[in-house]
């Protein structure tokens, strides 16, 4: 488990990049208050998804606008074709943690 | 429509072929491309690929296998007969088709008289990039002619590879027309930040050297020593093969906002298309990757009988010296520019272009997150004609 931040530090609609792990991950809090963690680097080219546009539980890559479903990691359209990895998020005692492992789900 | 032919096997052509299948076309789909290679992505050719960091630039994906494309690579289209829509190919074949997608893109312009001189390059194709990469060894004296996006990216990558780089620009500042003087000056600064000499207001007169380039001579007589030269002075549309087709050709294949040409069942997309833009209220030949990716959805729908104007605002990015530049919208002479976040000196800022009080463009340097937000404000046309 890696500790990300306190819940209060990640407002709804925002994302935070965790680069203490390699490859880095991005943790999102949707407007509805759900948390998702995924690989931060787009599967298409070199862009950080934490910088992307969050809408519902979809993030749009800031470079070429492929959209990824944060629940499944699947891209919805070109140019990305490969999914991003997703990781379970646990929120306990006001702290966001991610079950980060080499073999992600 | 039973048979469709896509001419040009690069981003716009492949994307249109995919879109035709996605939109339900189940007839024969032939893709003709004059390069021997499978479709590949061009932006890395001046960036990661040229730097030797990545050679993974193929555009085809495993999903394409199921789409049943009939590939004709290494064959050039020579003419389009407007009466029966037949297309002559350089391999002697004649394609008879009902629908035609023109996606023949653009080619790099040469300085007159320099094509074929050893050590002088342009950068448009994979083969160009492989040839250039072999010459960019540490310490080599490189002169880049033209401080546009490709010139600047080549300078930046060559610098990373240890070359000694000089950039020559005809205008007083780089990217003056596209970005205006304020931000053109910031782009000029990027070269200086990284030890690249930028010579502006300079016309190249000729390239000197017997068997191989030795120097570049400017109109004022200055001679700039050069072991390698890259000419980055823009691109010309590949439309000569359409002479006699009856299509309107004017700095590109002229189309309406839905990619339709003057001939029924013939559409044009990507860098070769001079399309009516609902953002610019004018005809515009976009030479940007995102346009070549997105316009095809419109073109395929038009070919399948459902024409609708393409609405996305122009967008491009460029990576120079580790700085990511993103731009959307369109700047015109007289527009004002305002930095609304960050600091141009730190090469991290967001600037907006305004015409009166209307937002017409957004530029970000190393501000992807803010840029993503501002980009949405230009997603739909903003100005009345
Ligand atoms: C080095 C480089 C870097 C770039 N970087 C960026 C960037 O950072 N950001 C950005 O937004 N854009 C960038 N671009 C621009 C982007 O790559 C183009 O907009 C895009 O490739 C256009 O795609 P297209 O399919 O319309 O045309 P093209 O990619 O030009 O493809 C046209 C194809 O048609 C073939 N062809 C031509 N004539 C015929 C014929 N008669 N018969 C058969 N085939 C034919 C050509 O050989 C070519 O393979 C860059 C371009 C280059 C060259
Ligand atoms: S880098 Fe994300 S879509 Fe291209």
């Amino acid at each position: 488990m890696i500790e990300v931040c306190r819940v209060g530090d990640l407002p709804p609609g925002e994302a935070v990049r965790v680069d203490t792990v390699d490859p880095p991950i991005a943790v999102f809090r949707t407007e509805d208050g759900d948390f998702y963690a995924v690989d931060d680097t787009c599967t298409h080219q070199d862009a950080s998804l934490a910088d992307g546009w969050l809408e519902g539980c979809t993030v749009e890559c800031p470079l070429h606008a492929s959209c990824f479903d944060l629940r499944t990691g699947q891209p919805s359209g070109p140019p990305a074709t490969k999914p991003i990895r997703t990781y379970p998020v646990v929120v306990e005692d006001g702290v966001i943690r991610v079950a980060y492992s080499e073999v992600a789900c | 429509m039973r048979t469709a032919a896509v001419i040009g096997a690069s981003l716009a052509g492949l994307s249109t072929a995919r879109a035709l299948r996605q939109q339900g076309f189940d007839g024969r789909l032939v893709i003709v491309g004059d390069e021997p290679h499978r479709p590949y992505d061009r932006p890395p050719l001046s960036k990661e690929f040229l730097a030797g960091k990545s050679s993974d630039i193929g555009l085809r994906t495993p999903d394409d296998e199921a789409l049943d494309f009939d590939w004709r690579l290494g064959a050039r289209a020579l003419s389009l007969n407007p009466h029966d829509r037949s297309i002559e190919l350089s391999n002697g074949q004649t394609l008879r088709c009902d629908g035609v997608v023109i996606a023949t893109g653009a080619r790099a312009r040469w300085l007159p008289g320099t094509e074929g001189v050893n050590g002088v390059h342009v950068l448009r194709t994979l083969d160009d990039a492989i040839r250039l990469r072999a010459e960019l060894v540490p310490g080599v004296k490189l002169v880049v002619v033209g401080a546009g996006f490709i010139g600047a990216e080549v300078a930046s990558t060559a610098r990373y590879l240890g070359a000694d780089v000089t950039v020559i620009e005809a205008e007083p500042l780089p990217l003056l027309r596209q970005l205006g003087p304020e931000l053109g000056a910031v782009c000029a600064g990027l070269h200086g930040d990284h030890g690249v000499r930028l010579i502006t207001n300079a016309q190249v007169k000729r390239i000197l050297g017997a068997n191989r380039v030795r120097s570049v001579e400017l109109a004022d007589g200055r001679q700039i020593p050069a072991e390698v030269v890259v000419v980055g002075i823009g691109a010309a549309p590949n439309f000569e093969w359409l002479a006699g087709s009856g299509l309107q050709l004017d700095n590109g294949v002229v189309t309406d906002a839905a990619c339709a040409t003057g001939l029924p069942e013939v559409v044009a997309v990507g860098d070769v298309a001079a399309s009516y833009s609902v953002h610019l209220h004018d005809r515009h030949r976009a030479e940007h990757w995102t346009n070549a990716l997105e316009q095809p959805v419109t073109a395929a729908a038009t070919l399948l009988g459902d024409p609708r104007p393409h609405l996305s605002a122009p967008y491009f990015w460029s990576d120079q010296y580790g700085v990511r530049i993103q731009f959307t919208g369109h700047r015109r002479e007289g527009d004002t520019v305002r930095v609304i976040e960050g600091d141009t000196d730190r090469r991290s800022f967001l600037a907006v272009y305004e015409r009166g009080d209307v937002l017409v463009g957004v530029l970000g340097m190393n501000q992807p997150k803010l840029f993503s937000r501002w980009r949405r404000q230009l997603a739909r046309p903003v100005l009345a004609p």
Side-chain angles (χ1 to χ4, degrees):
Chain A
M1 281 284 196
I2 48 173
E3 200 171 306
V4 178
C5 63
R6 301 200 59 83
V7 172
D9 295 334
L10 185 60
E14 286 295 330
V16 60
R17 170 166 52 247
V18 182
D19 43 23
T20 50
V21 288
D22 186 29
I25 56 175
V27 181
F28 294 86
R29 181 176 182 182
T30 66
E31 293 289 352
D32 291 342
D34 297 325
F35 294 90
Y36 295 99
V38 298
D39 277 340
D40 181 54
T41 309
C42 183
T43 56
H44 175 233
Q45 277 165 12
D46 190 15
S48 160
L49 294 175
D51 289 336
W53 177 260
L54 181 63
E55 197 152 330
C57 29
T58 300
V59 64
E60 183 189 280
C61 174
L63 189 53
H64 308 128
S66 264
C67 290
F68 294 91
D69 186 326
L70 294 173
R71 295 166 299 190
T72 60
Q74 290 296 333
S76 66
T81 54
K82 293 178 226 118
I84 43 172
R85 292 191 289 186
T86 62
Y87 306 90
V89 182
V90 180
V91 181
E92 241 174 37
D93 304 327
V95 176
I96 307 168
R97 292 190 182 80
V98 172
Y100 179 84
S101 60
E102 285 303 306
V103 197
C105 41
Chain B
M1 195 167 73
R2 283 184 324 221
T3 299
V6 175
I7 311 300
S10 183
L11 182 62
L14 179 58
S15 299
T16 313
R18 286 174 180 156
L20 281 167
R21 286 295 190 229
Q22 261 147 23
Q23 294 176 28
F25 175 65
D26 59 4
R28 194 158 76 101
L29 220 171
V30 185
I31 306 181
V32 179
D34 64 355
E35 294 186 74
H37 310 288
R38 292 165 159 232
Y40 58 85
D41 205 20
R42 289 181 209 280
L45 299 181
S46 50
K47 309 178 181 73
E48 303 86 346
F49 183 86
L50 190 63
K53 290 184 200 161
S54 162
S55 51
D56 178 19
I57 59 168
L59 283 177
R60 281 170 69 179
T61 71
D63 291 347
D64 291 336
E65 297 308 320
L67 301 182
D68 195 20
F69 298 146
D70 178 353
W71 292 94
R72 310 284 170 89
L73 295 180
R76 167 180 288 259
L78 303 176
S79 64
L80 167 67
N81 180 329
H83 305 296
D84 60 0
R85 272 190 232 98
S86 64
I87 297 170
E88 300 285 339
L89 301 187
S90 59
N91 62 9
Q93 295 172 350
T94 302
L95 293 176
R96 300 206 185 282
C97 37
D98 313 303
V100 180
V101 178
I102 299 167
T104 42
R107 61 177 177 279
R109 288 184 210 269
W110 286 88
L111 278 172
T114 60
E115 196 166 352
V117 178
N118 276 327
V120 181
H121 300 256
V122 291
L123 181 55
R124 180 77 198 181
T125 67
L126 176 57
D127 295 340
D128 292 339
I130 291 170
R131 273 192 295 268
L132 176 61
R133 193 163 71 171
E135 297 215 302
L136 293 181
V137 295
V140 74
K141 283 193 179 48
L142 169 70
V143 172
V144 178
V145 181
F149 289 108
I150 299 219
E153 290 188 355
V154 167
S156 147
T157 303
R159 198 66 198 119
Y160 164 84
L161 293 170
D164 175 77
V165 185
T166 305
V167 177
I168 297 172
E169 168 60 46
E171 297 287 330
L173 286 167
L175 299 164
L176 192 55
R177 194 175 41 82
Q178 294 95 327
L179 305 183
E182 299 86 351
L183 300 185
V186 178
C187 292
L190 286 177
H191 294 293
D193 292 352
H194 295 87
V196 167
R197 282 176 300 275
L198 174 66
I199 305 178
T200 53
N201 285 313
Q203 295 284 344
V204 170
K205 187 168 165 210
R206 56 184 172 157
I207 284 178
L208 300 172
N211 295 319
R212 200 187 154 87
V213 53
R214 205 178 62 236
S215 63
V216 173
E217 189 179 61
L218 304 183
D220 63 10
R222 271 182 290 177
Q223 288 190 7
I224 319 295
E227 293 164 297
V228 179
V229 171
V230 175
V231 178
I233 55 169
N238 290 319
F239 60 15
E240 290 77 1
W241 67 282
L242 293 164
S245 65
L247 286 169
Q248 190 185 349
L249 305 176
D250 181 6
N251 180 37
V253 179
V254 173
T255 83
D256 66 10
C259 303
T261 67
L263 289 175
E265 322 276 74
V266 178
V267 294
V269 278
D271 280 20
V272 76
S275 303
Y276 185 80
S277 160
V278 296
H279 283 267
L280 277 59
H281 305 292
D282 204 354
R283 197 189 293 154
H284 176 62
R285 190 169 67 80
E287 294 187 280
H288 300 308
W289 189 92
T290 298
N291 177 63
L293 179 76
E294 293 181 351
Q295 225 188 7
V297 176
T298 300
T302 297
L303 210 47
L304 296 173
D306 182 19
R308 293 175 205 191
H310 181 64
L311 293 178
S312 307
Y315 163 74
F316 63 81
W317 83 98
S318 173
D319 293 335
Q320 302 174 21
Y321 306 104
V323 172
R324 177 156 288 162
I325 303 170
Q326 294 175 286
F327 181 89
T328 185
H330 181 68
R331 174 204 172 260
R332 227 166 46 193
E333 193 67 44
D335 293 344
T336 52
V337 61
R338 200 155 53 90
V339 173
I340 57 164
E341 185 77 44
D343 184 351
T344 53
D345 287 339
R346 293 202 356 256
R347 315 303 186 212
S348 170
F349 64 91
L350 192 94
V352 294
Y353 292 84
E354 287 156 323
R355 198 165 299 159
D357 54 5
V358 181
L359 177 76
V360 292
V362 181
L363 181 137
M365 256 196 203
N366 275 347
Q367 285 286 356
K369 189 164 197 150
L370 255 191
F371 183 85
S372 293
R373 295 186 180 177
W374 277 85
R375 186 176 175 181
R376 316 201 90 69
Q377 303 207 25
L378 280 175
R380 288 281 175 272
V382 285
L383 286 179

